[in-house]
Amino acid sequence: MSYDLTDGIELSDEQREFVALARDFARNEIRPRSRAIDEADTEAPMDLWAKAAEIGLAAYMLPTEYGGGGVTDLVTQCLVQEELCHGDIGIANFLTSSSFFADPILSLGTDEQKKKWITPLTGSTPPVTSVAVTEPDVGSDAAGLQTRAVRDGDHYVLNGLKTWISNAPLSQYFVVFATFDPGLRSRGVTAFVVERDREGVTVGAPMKKYGQRGTLNAEVFLENVRVPVENRLGEEGKGFYGLMHTFDASRILIGAAATGLSRAILEDAVQYARERTQFGKPIIEHQAVAFRLADMAAKTDISHVVTMRAARLHDAGKPATAASAIAKLTASENTTWVANAGLMTHGGWGYSREFLVEKWLRDAKLEEIEEGTSDIQRLIISRAVAAR
């Protein structure tokens, strides 16, 4: 299925070039590696990381003043993310992960901190980075962090355990969210940049996952880690604001990622339905299959539309928290439905590794869980509805 990638919005030639670059990279570099990375389970495609950095895809979304591509509007970022995830969602999320690390620094950091921590992300050999929020007992309730940050002169001492941290096995730098007083809930949350080589930082082995294996996850242990005050982002207790600002944008990008995955599944299912024959004709001519494909197309298109609406609101500086949640909820649940429908269209072969659709179903499920489960998105949306 094809889309008018501008949705009626005029994009600059440079923005169009980034979208075309992402499409070509996804087709020629990402998709051919999709199955092998999935089978390898815990091996990140560092060669693709290097290639993406070389052509500017790893830093296209970062500001030009720090050497990035300057595509800071979410509309264009969503279009690029759709294309990359059309190739492989796990690999694409890894290749564009620098923006997730950079966002709290851009939201909370000083000019000096931005220059120090973001500029290296735009070089030819950028470091891999992570954002460390989730803990064993703290997932959806981000205000309930237990990782402690205790002031000790011109340092903070961090103690705690983070889990399910994307990129952790490879990361050189972490934005760690901790609290100086758990009783304060969100008002105690504070963000720090923590270097991997600081004494007391230990990273666990890569987790074996159900899907999206192109992005590695692991636990991060913090034991009496001394972090200088200049590594604190913003004032004490302001970290939750930065985290929510990050989530507002990243959930919209999840909507775009899920839409890209849905597009891949839909296109694959249509092609298979044209080629597979039963009862003397291609199965696409059987109404049951044709109607399933119609529903897949409708859900994919809806995901695209609500995601782009949220991106436009965000870019316009308007309140976008509810729209972000709607985009994330809709696109993530739709892509799981589309993936299951794609597998059913393939019949028995859909259950085989001969086709990517079984992998895509596994990949899709994570979109309903990461950065706030579907239940959390419904909570956000319901509160917005009640406040009207």
Side-chain angles (χ1 to χ4, degrees):
M1 184 168 185
S2 61
Y3 290 101
D4 173 13
L5 291 177
T6 66
D7 274 348
I9 296 177
E10 290 297 326
L11 300 180
S12 67
D13 290 341
E14 184 180 21
Q15 290 170 318
R16 290 180 181 277
E17 288 173 4
F18 274 116
V19 173
L21 181 66
R23 184 185 304 119
D24 291 342
F25 192 81
R27 180 178 59 247
N28 299 325
E29 302 288 348
I30 295 178
R31 181 67 67 83
R33 297 287 302 284
S34 185
R35 175 59 77 185
I37 294 300
D38 180 66
E39 295 285 352
D41 198 0
T42 56
E43 294 180 13
M46 292 305 297
D47 59 325
L48 293 182
W49 174 265
K51 288 181 179 179
E54 182 180 353
I55 64 175
L57 275 176
Y60 79 91
M61 74 299 286
L62 300 178
T64 54
E65 55 262 46
Y66 308 113
V71 183
T72 56
D73 69 288
L74 268 182
V75 166
T76 310
Q77 289 183 18
C78 284
L79 295 175
V80 171
Q81 195 71 6
E82 264 197 38
E83 295 299 333
L84 292 174
C85 292
H86 183 270
D88 183 277
I89 192 170
I91 295 174
N93 285 338
F94 169 54
L95 298 182
T96 58
S97 59
S98 291
S99 64
F100 194 48
F101 172 83
D103 198 73
I105 300 175
L106 290 169
S107 297
L108 297 169
T110 64
D111 289 341
E112 182 180 351
Q113 288 174 324
K114 294 172 187 177
K115 182 177 180 180
K116 178 178 181 180
W117 300 113
I118 296 177
T119 302
L121 304 178
T122 66
S124 58
T125 56
V128 180
T129 57
S130 295
V131 174
V133 180
T134 304
E135 299 175 1
D137 294 324
V138 178
S140 298
D141 182 15
L145 294 177
Q146 297 301 304
T147 295
R148 294 296 302 272
V150 177
R151 182 73 179 260
D152 182 20
D154 58 358
H155 282 74
Y156 285 87
V157 180
L158 272 57
N159 281 281
L161 167 61
K162 299 294 186 177
T163 191
W164 284 108
I165 306 306
S166 297
N167 295 350
L170 306 166
S171 288
Q172 297 179 41
Y173 305 103
F174 301 84
V175 171
V176 174
F177 286 85
T179 180
F180 64 88
D181 183 351
L184 292 176
R185 299 276 296 163
S186 64
R187 292 178 290 115
V189 175
T190 308
F192 303 86
V193 176
V194 179
E195 301 90 337
R196 186 194 184 100
D197 58 5
R198 285 198 176 274
E199 185 176 355
V201 177
T202 306
V203 178
M207 295 173 167
K208 293 183 178 295
K209 299 190 302 181
Y210 181 62
Q212 294 206 29
R213 296 169 179 171
T215 301
L216 303 187
N217 295 72
E219 293 179 312
V220 178
F221 302 86
L222 305 164
E223 185 174 359
N224 296 322
V225 180
R226 294 184 63 82
V227 179
V229 172
E230 55 263 31
N231 282 29
R232 188 188 68 207
L233 300 174
E235 298 301 316
E236 284 190 356
K238 298 301 182 182
F240 194 77
Y241 159 80
L243 182 59
M244 292 302 103
H245 182 273
T246 296
F247 279 164
D248 277 351
S250 64
R251 285 169 177 165
I252 297 171
L253 286 168
I254 286 176
T259 302
L261 176 56
S262 291
R263 284 174 50 200
I265 299 164
L266 174 59
E267 291 169 8
D268 177 73
V270 170
Q271 180 179 344
Y272 184 83
R274 286 173 175 158
E275 296 171 353
R276 173 70 166 166
T277 60
Q278 288 288 285
F279 303 101
K281 59 184 178 181
I283 63 173
I284 199 169
E285 296 180 18
H286 293 284
Q287 190 179 72
V289 175
F291 278 15
R292 185 188 303 126
L293 294 173
D295 287 339
M296 292 170 69
K299 289 179 181 295
T300 300
D301 202 55
I302 289 167
S303 297
H304 178 80
V305 170
V306 297
T307 297
M308 297 308 295
R309 182 196 65 158
R312 292 189 191 98
L313 286 172
H314 188 278
D315 288 344
K318 297 179 179 179
T321 298
S324 171
I326 289 170
K328 201 268 188 186
L329 174 68
T330 302
S332 64
E333 294 198 343
N334 278 355
T335 199
T336 298
W337 191 96
V338 168
N340 185 66
L343 190 148
M344 294 303 294
T345 301
H346 285 70
W349 286 110
Y351 205 64
S352 163
R353 289 178 177 173
E354 290 292 319
F355 294 88
L356 283 171
V357 67
E358 63 82 25
K359 173 193 177 306
W360 287 333
L361 180 57
R362 290 187 282 111
D363 289 345
K365 196 61 185 176
L366 178 60
E367 300 306 281
E368 296 182 59
I369 300 171
E370 64 178 342
E371 295 187 38
T373 63
S374 290
D375 292 335
I376 291 298
Q377 306 314 308
R378 287 187 168 90
L379 179 63
I380 294 168
I381 297 163
S382 66
R383 286 174 174 171
V385 169
R388 289 177 179 172

